[in-house]
Amino acid sequence: MTGHADIDTYKLNKIFTAPVGDLTAEQQELLNEVKASRTTPRDPRFPTTNQSNHCWNRYNEWLVCLKSTNDEEGCKAMRFQALKICPTIWTDKWDEERGEGTFAGIKTE
């Protein structure tokens, strides 16, 4: 294997080794989504194992994108990265706080 894509395919195929039987279209779509899912890329600003600051930054970077563009669809990838690195309980809480106007981070309104 010579290229980066080859290595990624190799790693992915090691995860999904068991043969999959016949799938419905919905099941195949979900399987493809799981195979394509990746975590947020490494950020050299956060070199330690504890990724809480990385999480907070990703969430607020998404909010900065929303505030500057007012384009939820355009900022969808940033939201996805925040959701991948942050615990769901945190993002749910922050979403609630934003709705209540008590969020301590970036204000979008």
Side-chain angles (χ1 to χ4, degrees):
M1 297 184 189
T2 57
H4 183 67
D6 292 336
I7 292 170
D8 287 344
T9 301
Y10 172 75
K11 289 178 183 176
L12 188 61
N13 287 337
K14 284 188 74 168
I15 294 170
F16 296 98
T17 55
V20 179
D22 293 334
L23 300 175
T24 66
E26 182 181 359
Q27 289 171 327
Q28 185 62 49
E29 185 179 331
L30 286 172
L31 179 62
N32 291 340
E33 189 175 320
V34 168
K35 284 183 176 183
S37 181
R38 301 287 183 266
T39 189
T40 183
R42 182 185 176 283
D43 191 329
R45 297 176 294 175
F46 309 102
T48 63
T49 304
N50 183 344
Q51 293 292 302
S52 58
N53 286 334
H54 190 180
C55 161
W56 177 254
N57 256 31
R58 288 287 183 193
Y59 190 86
N60 280 282
E61 286 170 350
W62 165 66
L63 294 175
V64 167
C65 179
L66 281 180
K67 186 175 185 173
S68 62
T69 64
N70 284 332
D71 179 16
E72 269 194 54
E73 191 61 33
C75 299
K76 190 176 182 179
M78 295 181 90
R79 169 82 175 167
F80 183 74
Q81 287 183 348
L83 294 177
K84 283 295 185 184
I85 197 160
C86 297
T88 305
I89 194 167
W90 291 5
T91 55
D92 289 348
K93 178 178 179 276
W94 294 337
D95 289 343
E96 271 183 42
E97 289 174 350
R98 286 180 50 240
E100 296 168 354
T102 60
F103 181 63
I106 302 293
K107 308 284 189 252
T108 56
E109 298 168 5

